[in-house]
Amino acid sequence: MTKSYDEWTAAQHSTTVDVDGHDLEVAYRDEGEGDPVVFLHGIPTNSYLFAKAIDPVAEERRVIAPDMVGYGNSQMTDDFDRSIRAQERMIRGLVADLDLGTVDFVGHDLGGGVGLRYAAREPDAVERLVLSNSVAYDSWPIKTITDLGLPESARENSVADVQGMLDGLFRNTLYDEDPDEAFIEAMKAPWNSEEGVTSLVRAAVSTNTCHTTEVDPREVTADTRLLWGLEDEFQPVQWAERLEADIDSCELIGLEESNHWVPEDRHEAFREHCAEFLLGGA
């Protein structure tokens, strides 16, 4: 049975990671034992995105699922960078703090961009890489996010305004016409405060195209699997096809009846493909 958001967060651990001279609190789930796998979400989600996916992997592997800094239950103060460059540094710090060594990496949306940077810049650090409807090249940011990132958004939008915007975003872009209400509430919950609103706006303004265009996917040596929702209006499958052509050891699996939020839209298929790929050589 899938855990509720309250159950998920109650079982989170916390550590402090240095990111650009800032000591930032990072909340993360730590499940199972064995060779480590890191699951990383994107914007505007949190680690609960993978609540339906990690159990089979955690039966044989150690699964680490952090909230990115500025997201979820990780630090939200208005005094640090939230870009994927900074999130990559957070992951490096978390890997070092937990003494994980070499990892497999699963990333969705911005989390995929972090994984792509990490795998390309440190090819010996990532053995297997799963990218799901990930940002790459100059495929991002999208207008919804850039509009949200305007500084006046934090000053002019109330908590209720942002909660309503997020509610509409997920209801309009989840594939199921009758989506899981618990999932929607879990995606909205971290932003349900004035601090949360400001943090979301700062996360949106930190979506910097240069942080993927400066990375060459051809430098990725990890065995790579692309799990892509074929109905995605934010990161269309053409970007996955380009990644498949550029990464030497890479397979694209297109998932029908799925928009952008693949770990929720097609949670059974996502879970099965992740388990098959990540446990195949475990």
Side-chain angles (χ1 to χ4, degrees), residues 17-154:
V17 173
D18 178 272
V19 180
D20 297 330
H22 296 272
D23 290 332
L24 302 180
E25 183 178 357
V26 178
Y28 63 97
R29 287 295 296 255
D30 189 344
E31 304 287 337
E33 297 179 352
D35 294 335
V37 183
V38 174
F39 282 72
L40 192 64
H41 66 91
I43 190 172
T45 61
N46 59 75
S47 58
Y48 188 80
L49 178 72
F50 301 113
K52 298 174 182 176
I54 69 170
D55 284 354
V57 179
E59 290 178 1
E60 299 185 38
R61 307 281 302 270
R62 183 181 181 187
V63 172
I64 307 295
D67 290 333
M68 294 197 296
V69 288
Y71 294 71
N73 281 325
S74 291
Q75 190 153 332
M76 281 194 176
T77 52
D78 191 20
D79 55 2
F80 61 88
D81 183 12
R82 289 152 168 81
S83 70
I84 66 169
R85 182 198 59 79
Q87 305 296 349
E88 180 198 1
R89 294 191 177 186
M90 178 275 287
I91 290 295
R92 290 172 184 267
L94 186 63
V95 166
D97 185 72
L98 300 181
D99 195 25
L100 300 180
T102 301
V103 303
D104 289 350
F105 196 102
V106 181
H108 176 262
D109 186 74
L110 266 65
V114 174
L116 190 63
R117 283 179 59 94
Y118 191 35
R121 291 156 59 88
E122 295 287 345
D124 293 335
V126 180
E127 292 188 347
R128 295 183 188 134
L129 176 65
V130 178
L131 302 177
S132 180
N133 293 67
S134 170
V135 301
Y137 309 105
D138 62 346
S139 72
W140 67 302
I142 62 172
K143 188 174 187 300
T144 299
I145 298 301
T146 55
D147 287 350
L148 178 63
L150 296 173
E152 55 261 34
S153 295

Side-chain angles (χ1 to χ4, degrees), residues 10 15 34 46 80 93 114 122 170 190 196 217 226 231 237 248 261:
T15 190
N46 59 75
F80 61 88
V114 174
E122 295 287 345
F170 285 108
L226 308 176
E231 305 297 324
V237 71
D248 185 51
W261 318 106

